[in-house]
Amino acid sequence: MAPRTVTEPFDVDALLADPATGIIVCCGSGGVGKTTTAAALGVRAAEAGRRVVVLTIDPARRLAQSLGLTELDNTPRPVGGVGTEAGGSLDAMMLDMKRTFDEVVLAHSAPDKAEQILANPFYQAVSSSFAGTQEYMAMEKLGQLRAQADREGTWDLVVVDTPPSRSALDFLDAPKRLGSFLDGRFIRLLMAPARAGGRAYLKVFSVGANLAAATLSKVLGGQFLADVQTFVAALDTMFGGFRERADVTYALLKEPSTAFVVVAAPERDALREAAYFVERLAAESMPLAGVVVNRMQVLAAPGLSGSRAMAAAEQLEDRADDADAVAGAGAGATPALLRLHASLAEVASRHESRVRQFVASHPGVPVSTVPAGATDIHDLDGLRAVGSALGAD
């Protein structure tokens, strides 16, 4: 039998210390701890002397509390007391999807066109809740932060917490889908009347096109269709820009200065999503730094197996059944603790088995694990503890 391939641990400290690392993208399915991982990497990098900005997309807004800030918004805010001794700094921000979209409109439209777009009901719906908008705007904001860092030297590392999508792959797919929609044939068809006007309208729109427009008006509602047409007419000058900027940011993600950190939990579905993402990154030639598996169950007494703990609990309970063996009211505490240990040992064994399977399926992919905490992360010390688990500590 061929020897097993041993995967090297994920050397997070080496990644953070490398000045060539300019962007770290924390990705994975929802609920696996991407936000905590991104924040912990930001804190650890700042305290190693890097000038860091962390961009999070987290509706729960836990990150602000963990970083000691009263709030996070679309503007980077300094986190006090982090990195100053080592010459580093840490800023943090939370993506405001609509505000970012508004900034794009204002930056790439004439003032009168921008006013029309921002006031349009269809735009307000698209910028707030359209599928893929959050992922697209996350990439827009990443591009803005990187451009500011290059232009002003504000930061030398951008850490991105990707949106809590149902699928980890949505972060890579959704921006293209939104760009294709905004630059697609359907939108172009709706734009044609505003472009053509007068007799040209009759040439551009055949009887069939008029019938199609009438049908759409009935299905969508006349006012809605009018809002859409007004929106796309005002947005005409921006259509090429949406796809162009998405392509530029997509190319940025392929640069050697970018590092993807795939975050997972030791559960079957989360590791399956992580596997899909690892394979997709390889297919897209995007740089994978490593995989972080959060919330691994650890045991206070790893030398005591679950089966031995259960056997000891049963023996003690058998003795307690004999009235002569009952030592007092607390005699049942030890068997209960042994049963709890046995239960946790079963969970730990399952977690280890699933991580081993992942490693065996992806040889050469560095993997690091973070123990499950007794409580949620709620302060800088908690983030430092996660960073220590990921690093050489």
Side-chain angles (χ1 to χ4, degrees):
M1 180 180 295
R4 280 187 57 188
T5 300
V6 178
T7 295
E8 292 295 325
F10 179 18
D11 192 345
V12 169
D13 284 342
L15 174 69
L16 299 178
D18 186 355
T21 304
I23 295 174
I24 295 177
V25 181
C26 295
C27 52
S29 56
V32 296
K34 294 193 301 291
T35 299
T36 299
T37 300
L41 291 175
V43 170
R44 193 165 182 84
E47 295 186 338
R50 302 295 300 270
R51 301 188 310 279
V52 189
V53 58
V54 175
L55 168 63
T56 184
I57 303 93
D58 179 27
R61 299 182 181 269
R62 295 185 309 273
L63 183 61
Q65 180 183 2
S66 299
L67 295 172
L69 299 174
T70 56
E71 62 176 351
L72 284 177
D73 55 23
N74 216 43
T75 302
R77 297 180 180 274
V79 179
V82 176
T84 52
E85 294 183 1
S89 63
L90 177 63
D91 291 343
M93 63 180 297
M94 178 180 294
L95 178 73
D96 184 325
M97 180 173 63
K98 187 179 186 310
R99 183 174 167 187
T100 301
F101 210 147
D102 291 349
E103 291 172 354
V104 173
V105 171
L106 291 169
H108 298 279
S109 302
D112 57 333
K113 291 288 186 181
E115 186 177 347
Q116 291 179 35
I117 295 170
L118 296 178
N120 185 274
F122 182 73
Y123 165 76
Q124 293 172 3
V126 168
S127 61
S128 300
S129 57
F130 193 82
T133 303
Q134 189 177 50
E135 287 82 0
Y136 184 96
M137 289 305 145
M139 293 184 73
E140 281 276 359
K141 183 56 69 175
L142 169 59
Q144 291 175 11
L145 292 173
R146 175 59 183 268
Q148 181 179 348
D150 292 343
R151 183 176 63 252
E152 303 174 8
T154 316
W155 310 288
D156 57 28
L157 177 62
V158 180
V159 182
V160 182
D161 162 34
T162 56
S165 306
R166 180 190 59 81
S167 167
L169 299 179
D170 285 349
F171 175 67
L172 295 180
D173 292 334
K176 285 188 174 181
R177 289 201 302 269
L178 181 62
S180 296
F181 166 76
L182 292 174
D183 202 21
R185 292 182 179 179
F186 174 69
I187 294 293
R188 293 290 182 179
L189 179 67
L190 293 173
M191 191 186 302
R195 281 183 169 178
R199 293 182 179 179
Y201 172 82
L202 297 177
K203 295 179 181 179
V204 174
F205 266 73
S206 63
V207 174
N210 285 325
L211 289 174
T215 302
L216 284 172
S217 181
K218 291 179 180 179
V219 173
L220 301 176
Q223 184 58 49
F224 178 80
L225 186 59
D227 289 340
V228 173
Q229 290 178 331
T230 302
F231 165 71
V232 296
L235 207 64
D236 188 19
T237 58
M238 295 178 57
F239 273 96
F242 275 106
R243 177 168 291 179
E244 180 181 345
R245 286 191 302 279
D247 290 343
V248 168
T249 307
Y250 209 76
L252 177 64
L253 297 179
K254 293 186 177 185
E255 291 183 1
S257 60
T258 298
F260 279 85
V261 175
V262 177
V263 184
E267 304 297 339
R268 185 176 292 107
D269 289 344
L271 287 171
R272 184 182 298 117
E273 288 280 345
Y276 290 154
F277 210 105
V278 166
E279 293 159 9
R280 173 67 180 276
L281 292 174
E284 298 281 348
S285 300
M286 291 185 173
L288 171 66
V291 175
V292 171
V293 183
N294 279 322
R295 302 166 189 160
M296 289 284 291
Q297 182 62 59
V298 295
L299 300 176
L304 178 61
S305 68
S307 58
R308 289 176 57 198
M310 185 62 73
E314 292 173 350
Q315 287 182 342
L316 289 174
E317 288 169 344
D318 288 342
R319 292 177 184 175
D321 287 340
D322 186 340
D324 294 336
V326 176
T334 300
L337 288 173
L338 287 168
R339 286 184 176 276
L340 175 60
H341 177 87
S343 176
L344 294 178
E346 181 181 353
V347 173
S349 177
R350 184 172 68 249
H351 286 180
E352 291 171 4
S353 175
R354 287 174 177 164
V355 172
R356 281 198 301 269
Q357 290 174 7
F358 178 88
V359 168
S361 300
H362 300 85
V365 175
V367 177
S368 182
T369 60
V370 177
T375 60
D376 289 337
I377 304 298
H378 61 274
D379 56 20
L380 282 170
D381 286 340
L383 293 175
R384 290 187 178 104
V386 173
S388 296
L390 289 170
D393 298 357

